[in-house]
Amino acid sequence: LLPDEVGEKIFVRVEHQTLSRLPVSNHILFTIHTYQNKLKHEVADKKRAEALATFVKAIPTDLLAYKQILPFASQLKAYLTQA
């Protein structure tokens, strides 16, 4: 994976979670919307890029291997740092 390909070729799974109170029953509705997006779109927001970089740097090596991120982890970390 070339450094300039990271943002285009890596996809991330994003979740948007909500809690809503239903008006009649007063119950709570929990929803999750998941989608995949190119990394370059997710790091367009500087704060999101920083949060993702901090998270990725903290992932233990064995988890990177399990998630199959280890082969491109250094390129991913470099990309997030410069994003």
Side-chain angles (χ1 to χ4, degrees):
L1 190 60
L2 298 173
D4 58 339
E5 296 177 326
V6 173
E8 185 69 32
K9 291 194 172 184
I10 293 180
F11 284 76
V12 292
R13 179 176 177 259
V14 180
E15 289 187 357
H16 179 79
Q17 301 177 1
T18 64
L19 291 171
S20 304
R21 187 170 299 277
L22 300 174
V24 175
S25 66
N26 212 30
H27 291 109
I28 302 292
L29 175 66
F30 173 67
T31 61
I32 302 175
H33 174 78
T34 60
Y35 60 95
Q36 290 185 343
N37 204 2
K38 288 182 179 182
L39 181 62
K40 70 177 186 178
H41 298 304
E42 290 301 314
V43 299
D45 176 357
K46 194 72 168 170
K47 287 187 179 185
R48 287 183 78 147
E50 291 171 0
L52 191 53
T54 300
F55 173 74
V56 170
K57 288 176 185 175
I59 299 173
T61 304
D62 58 337
L63 187 56
L64 289 172
Y66 174 75
K67 296 285 188 178
Q68 300 180 349
I69 299 171
L70 196 55
F72 58 90
S74 61
Q75 293 98 323
L76 175 60
K77 290 174 185 177
Y79 180 83
L80 291 172
T81 301
Q82 61 95 27

